[in-house]
Structures are given as C-alpha cells and as structure tokens.
Amino acid sequence: MKKLVIALASIALVSCEPDLPQMKPDLITESTLHDTDDPAIWVNKENTQESIVFGTDKDTDGAIYAFDLEGKVIEEKTLRGMKRPNNVDVEYNVKINDSVTTDILMFTEREREQIRLFSVPDMKPLDQGGFKVFQEKRENEWNLPMGISIFKSPKNDKTYAVVGRKNGPKTNYLHQFELVPAGDHIEFKLVREFGNFSGEKEIEAIAIDEELGFIYYADEKVCVRKYQAEPDAGNEELSCFGAETFNRDIEGIAIATYENGEGYIIVSDQQEHTFNFFDRKTNEFLFAKNLGTTETDGCEVFTGYLNEQFPNGLFVAMNDNKNFYFYDLSKIVEAK
C-alpha cells in the first residue's frame, strides 16, 4: 500500500506540471544557425554590464555564440568552424604560468573527439588546437565527448574539468582532468575516472558546486547523480535523486548559489518543458516552474548583479527554436 501511495503521488506530481502558469522571458536572444544546446555566463567583474552569455550551436558547422545582455550576437567574440560543440562552461583566474592568470571558456567538440579551451574575453586558444579525450575505445560512441563542467578547488586552488560522453561503461563513465599551466597554454592531466551510468540513454548535463564540493550530473532517464568533486575524496556515489519528479529526460543543471550554502539545484525536465528546483543543501524537491521554453537541454544561472534589467541575477535556458531565453532571476526564485 505504501508503494502504491508513493507511485500515485509521483504520477500526480508529473501530471500536474502542464498546468503550471507559464512565465515569459525578459528577452530572447538572436537566433543561431542550427541547434542551440548549452549556455554559460561569463561575468565581467570590472564592468558587469559587459558580461557575455556563451551558447553552443550544436552542428557539424557549429559555433560558440557570444551574446551581450540584450541578447545580441557579439560576432567578434563568437567562435565559428567548430564540429558539433556540445556543452560549455567558464572559470575565472586560471593559471597559465606562475605569473599569468586568465578567465577561460571550455567546451566539448564532439565530432573532433576533443576539448577546446580559450581565454576570455579576448578569445585566444590555450589548448594548442584541442585535447583528445576518451580514446581508449573508439566505437559505440564511447569516444564522443558531450558534457563538461569546470571548477577551481578551494582545497588546493587547482582547476579541474569533468567531462562526460555520448555512451560509455556502467562505471567510470566520467573523466576528471587537472588543468596544468604550461607557459603560454594549458595541458590536461587525467586524475580520475568515476561515475555510475544506467545505460538507459546518455549523460550530458554536468554541474559542479565549487563551494560545497559536489558534482551533479543527469543520468537522463534515471536520476540526478551526486559525487564528491575533489579527485582524492573518493568515488562513492552520494545519492541518486529526483527520479519521481521528472517526466522523462533529465537534462540541463544549473546551481544557484547564495551565502551559507543556501540556494537551488535547477534541472530541466525536457519533455515536460519545465524546470525542477531542488534545495542546494538537502537536494529535496521544492517545486517546478514553467518558463515557456521547449525541449530545454542546457541552462545556467548567476545570482549577482549584472545591470538594471538583471539586478538580482540571470537565468539562461536553451529553447528549441535556435535561441536562448534570459530571465531576471528574482522573478523565478526568492534569494535565500
């Protein structure tokens, strides 16, 4: 009887989501050429009004688009000629050598089986043309990188990238790389293989809570999986949560961070066209919201001031019409 009640509650939770009131975006970006997928927000700390939202255009003739805060394409910051770029992330003050640091943009280039790395905002390559990944088995799509997330360790100040792939083993699905300063570029050192995979579909969305030290990733038909972020903290799965709150594909993950560990884990419920919000500390499901996007893959969030239109933060979500939606974060959640 208890299992029946839980099952009925789960059905009721999913079935009520289409009735959620639809929220409109504050603005919609200009269109890409092909297929938007994943955004990343780079905050210009010297002048937040000149911050950039990067977004992947996932195609053989793909690109990393750069948008200003009005949703206009910044052509001189846009990277074209990429072979199916998938997911993108940014990090700040990363060491190039003992005396030079820079902000960086990193993304997976699936059809070239590699990671790309550029400085921001000058968009100079720092990877000597790309770093090959997942080359140990080059069939059944095990060698095709998809998800990526970067973090800087509070423990040792090293920068790490966690990378997923189109298909892979039931264990050690993810690879974690240390970004090693190499003078005028950055090299990649594999430091960890970890992460369970159901085999049901794929793993694309990865997000890292740098402050609290957790990695979250979406096993798309199963749950959101949670692990320790530090490479020496152990490979035991901490939890596999949220399954009953999703219709089908669990997609983009964004982490809204506030003081004292407060905040939200925001996850796209792709076929429901909604977003599920979980408590950052407990990972307890809080609520779902309909933000008007369709088939959202990637999303990203920033909780600070950017400009008068986004004074309390910015939430960016991919929309299945070759564009991205921008929202004033305070209209979606209350700051904790």
Side-chain angles (χ1 to χ4, degrees), residues 81-115:
M82 302 299 164
K83 297 293 185 183
R84 203 171 183 81
N86 209 113
N87 283 42
V88 62
D89 202 4
V90 299
E91 187 55 86
Y92 300 88
N93 299 318
V94 176
K95 279 188 175 182
I96 305 298
N97 54 52
D98 289 340
S99 59
V100 177
T101 63
T102 184
D103 298 347
I104 62 169
L105 171 84
M106 183 180 288
F107 59 93
T108 52
E109 192 177 16
R110 195 198 302 182
E111 291 182 5
R112 288 185 172 130
E113 304 171 15
Q114 64 183 8
I115 303 169

Side-chain angles (χ1 to χ4, degrees), residues 211-212 258-262 280-281:
E211 179 187 0
L212 299 186
Y258 297 98
E259 292 182 353
N260 301 316
E262 299 286 341
R280 183 183 171 207
K281 285 183 175 179

Side-chain angles (χ1 to χ4, degrees), residues 43-92:
V43 178
N44 186 328
K45 295 179 180 179
E46 295 181 359
N47 182 359
T48 58
Q49 296 187 72
E50 295 183 0
S51 298
I52 301 171
V53 176
F54 294 100
T56 60
D57 189 28
K58 191 171 61 177
D59 191 86
T60 295
D61 177 31
I64 304 294
Y65 277 77
F67 301 96
D68 63 24
L69 295 182
E70 294 181 350
K72 306 296 184 184
V73 175
I74 310 171
E75 188 58 44
E76 64 271 21
K77 307 292 184 186
T78 294
L79 303 172
R80 299 191 183 274
M82 302 299 164
K83 297 293 185 183
R84 203 171 183 81
N86 209 113
N87 283 42
V88 62
D89 202 4
V90 299
E91 187 55 86
Y92 300 88

Side-chain angles (χ1 to χ4, degrees), residues 100-155:
V100 177
T101 63
T102 184
D103 298 347
I104 62 169
L105 171 84
M106 183 180 288
F107 59 93
T108 52
E109 192 177 16
R110 195 198 302 182
E111 291 182 5
R112 288 185 172 130
E113 304 171 15
Q114 64 183 8
I115 303 169
R116 296 305 316 269
L117 177 60
F118 290 78
S119 59
V120 179
D122 55 358
M123 312 310 294
K124 302 297 184 183
L126 297 173
D127 56 10
Q128 296 187 317
F131 179 76
K132 298 289 184 182
V133 291
F134 304 126
Q135 298 296 292
E136 71 279 5
K137 183 177 180 182
R138 306 187 69 257
E139 63 260 14
N140 299 323
E141 299 181 318
W142 283 36
N143 56 314
L144 302 179
M146 290 182 68
I148 195 166
S149 190
I150 322 170
F151 77 102
K152 185 178 290 184
S153 166
K155 179 180 175 181

